[in-house]
Coordinates of all heavy atoms in Angstrom, one line a residue:
Y31 N 58.0 103.3 249.1 CA 56.6 103.1 248.5 C 56.5 101.7 248.1 O 55.5 101.0 248.5 CB 56.4 104.0 247.3 CG 55.2 103.6 246.5 CD1 53.9 103.9 247.0 CD2 55.3 102.9 245.3 CE1 52.8 103.5 246.3 CE2 54.2 102.5 244.6 CZ 53.0 102.8 245.1 OH 51.8 102.3 244.4
Y32 N 57.4 101.1 247.4 CA 57.3 99.7 246.9 C 57.3 98.7 248.0 O 56.7 97.7 247.9 CB 58.4 99.4 245.8 CG 58.0 100.1 244.5 CD1 58.9 101.0 243.9 CD2 56.8 99.8 243.8 CE1 58.6 101.6 242.7 CE2 56.5 100.4 242.6 CZ 57.4 101.3 242.0 OH 57.0 101.9 240.9
R33 N 58.0 99.1 249.1 CA 58.0 98.1 250.2 C 56.6 98.0 250.8 O 56.3 97.0 251.5 CB 58.9 98.6 251.3 CG 60.4 98.5 250.9 CD 61.4 98.5 252.0 NE 62.7 98.6 251.4 CZ 63.3 97.6 250.9 NH1 62.8 96.4 250.8 NH2 64.5 97.7 250.4
T34 N 55.7 98.9 250.6 CA 54.3 98.8 251.1 C 53.3 98.1 250.1 O 52.2 98.0 250.4 CB 53.7 100.2 251.4 OG1 53.5 100.9 250.2 CG2 54.6 101.0 252.4
Q35 N 53.8 97.8 248.9 CA 53.0 97.2 247.9 C 53.1 95.7 247.8 O 54.2 95.2 248.2 CB 53.3 97.8 246.5 CG 53.2 99.3 246.5 CD 51.8 99.8 246.8 OE1 50.9 99.5 246.1 NE2 51.7 100.6 247.8
D36 N 52.1 95.1 247.2 CA 52.2 93.6 247.0 C 52.6 93.5 245.5 O 51.9 93.7 244.6 CB 50.8 93.0 247.2 CG 50.8 91.5 247.0 OD1 51.9 90.9 247.0 OD2 49.7 91.0 246.7
I37 N 53.9 93.1 245.4 CA 54.5 93.1 244.0 C 54.9 91.7 243.5 O 55.6 91.0 244.2 CB 55.7 94.1 244.1 CG1 55.2 95.5 244.4 CG2 56.6 94.0 242.8 CD1 56.3 96.5 244.4
K38 N 54.5 91.5 242.3 CA 54.8 90.2 241.7 C 56.3 89.9 241.7 O 57.1 90.7 241.2 CB 54.2 90.2 240.2 CG 54.3 88.8 239.6 CD 53.7 88.9 238.2 CE 53.8 87.6 237.5 NZ 53.4 87.7 236.1
E39 N 56.7 88.8 242.2 CA 58.1 88.4 242.3 C 58.9 89.4 243.0 O 60.2 89.5 242.8 CB 58.7 88.0 240.9 CG 58.0 86.8 240.3 CD 58.4 86.7 238.8 OE1 59.0 87.6 238.2 OE2 58.0 85.6 238.3
N40 N 58.3 90.3 243.8 CA 59.0 91.4 244.5 C 59.9 92.2 243.6 O 60.9 92.7 244.0 CB 59.8 90.8 245.6 CG 58.9 90.2 246.7 OD1 57.9 90.9 247.1 ND2 59.1 89.0 247.1
T41 N 59.6 92.2 242.3 CA 60.5 92.9 241.4 C 59.8 94.0 240.6 O 58.7 93.8 240.0 CB 61.0 91.9 240.3 OG1 61.6 90.8 241.1 CG2 62.0 92.5 239.4
V42 N 60.4 95.2 240.7 CA 59.8 96.3 239.9 C 60.6 96.4 238.6 O 61.8 96.2 238.5 CB 60.1 97.6 240.7 CG1 59.6 98.9 239.9 CG2 59.3 97.6 242.1
I43 N 59.8 96.7 237.5 CA 60.5 96.9 236.2 C 60.7 98.4 236.0 O 59.8 99.2 235.9 CB 59.6 96.4 235.1 CG1 59.0 95.0 235.4 CG2 60.3 96.5 233.7 CD1 60.0 93.9 235.4
L44 N 62.0 98.8 236.0 CA 62.3 100.2 235.7 C 62.5 100.4 234.2 O 63.3 99.6 233.6 CB 63.7 100.5 236.4 CG 63.8 100.2 237.9 CD1 65.2 100.7 238.4 CD2 62.7 100.9 238.7
I45 N 61.8 101.3 233.7 CA 61.9 101.5 232.2 C 62.4 102.9 232.0 O 61.7 103.9 232.2 CB 60.5 101.3 231.5 CG1 60.0 99.9 231.7 CG2 60.7 101.6 230.0 CD1 58.7 99.5 231.0
G46 N 63.6 103.0 231.5 CA 64.2 104.3 231.2 C 63.9 104.7 229.8 O 63.9 103.9 228.9
L47 N 63.6 106.0 229.6 CA 63.3 106.5 228.3 C 64.6 107.1 227.8 O 65.0 108.2 228.3 CB 62.2 107.5 228.3 CG 60.8 107.0 228.8 CD1 59.7 108.0 228.6 CD2 60.4 105.7 228.2
L48 N 65.2 106.5 226.8 CA 66.4 106.9 226.2 C 66.2 108.1 225.3 O 65.1 108.2 224.8 CB 67.1 105.8 225.4 CG 67.5 104.5 226.2 CD1 67.9 103.4 225.3 CD2 68.7 104.9 227.2
K49 N 67.2 109.0 225.1 CA 68.5 108.8 225.7 C 68.7 109.7 226.9 O 69.6 109.5 227.7 CB 69.6 109.3 224.7 CG 69.5 108.6 223.3 CD 70.3 109.4 222.3 CE 70.0 108.9 220.9 NZ 70.6 109.8 219.9
G50 N 67.7 110.6 227.1 CA 67.9 111.6 228.2 C 68.0 111.0 229.6 O 68.5 111.7 230.5
C51 N 67.4 109.8 229.8 CA 67.4 109.3 231.2 C 68.7 108.8 231.7 O 68.9 108.5 232.9 CB 66.4 108.1 231.2 SG 67.0 106.6 230.4
V52 N 69.7 108.6 230.8 CA 70.9 107.9 231.1 C 71.6 108.3 232.4 O 71.8 107.5 233.4 CB 71.9 107.8 229.9 CG1 73.3 107.2 230.4 CG2 71.3 106.9 228.9
P53 N 72.1 109.6 232.6 CA 72.8 110.0 233.8 C 71.9 109.9 235.0 O 72.3 109.4 236.1 CB 73.1 111.4 233.6 CG 73.0 111.7 232.1 CD 72.0 110.7 231.6
F54 N 70.6 110.3 234.9 CA 69.7 110.2 236.0 C 69.4 108.8 236.5 O 69.5 108.4 237.6 CB 68.4 110.9 235.6 CG 67.3 110.9 236.7 CD1 67.5 111.2 238.0 CD2 66.0 110.5 236.3 CE1 66.5 111.1 239.0 CE2 65.0 110.4 237.3 CZ 65.2 110.7 238.6
M55 N 69.2 107.9 235.5 CA 68.9 106.5 235.8 C 70.1 105.8 236.4 O 69.9 105.0 237.3 CB 68.3 105.8 234.6 CG 67.9 104.4 234.8 SD 66.8 103.9 233.5 CE 66.6 102.1 233.9
A56 N 71.2 106.1 235.8 CA 72.5 105.4 236.3 C 72.7 105.8 237.8 O 73.0 105.0 238.6 CB 73.7 105.9 235.5
N57 N 72.4 107.0 238.1 CA 72.5 107.5 239.5 C 71.4 106.9 240.4 O 71.7 106.5 241.5 CB 72.4 109.1 239.4 CG 73.0 109.7 240.6 OD1 73.5 109.1 241.6 ND2 73.1 111.0 240.6

Side-chain angles (χ1 to χ4, degrees):
Y31 167 75
Y32 284 119
R33 292 200 186 284
T34 67
Q35 304 299 302
D36 180 20
I37 295 186
K38 189 178 178 187
E39 293 168 351
N40 294 309
T41 304
V42 175
I43 313 293
L44 308 180
I45 301 183
L47 302 188
L48 293 172
K49 308 167 193 167
C51 74
V52 169
F54 176 48
M55 184 158 172
N57 202 353

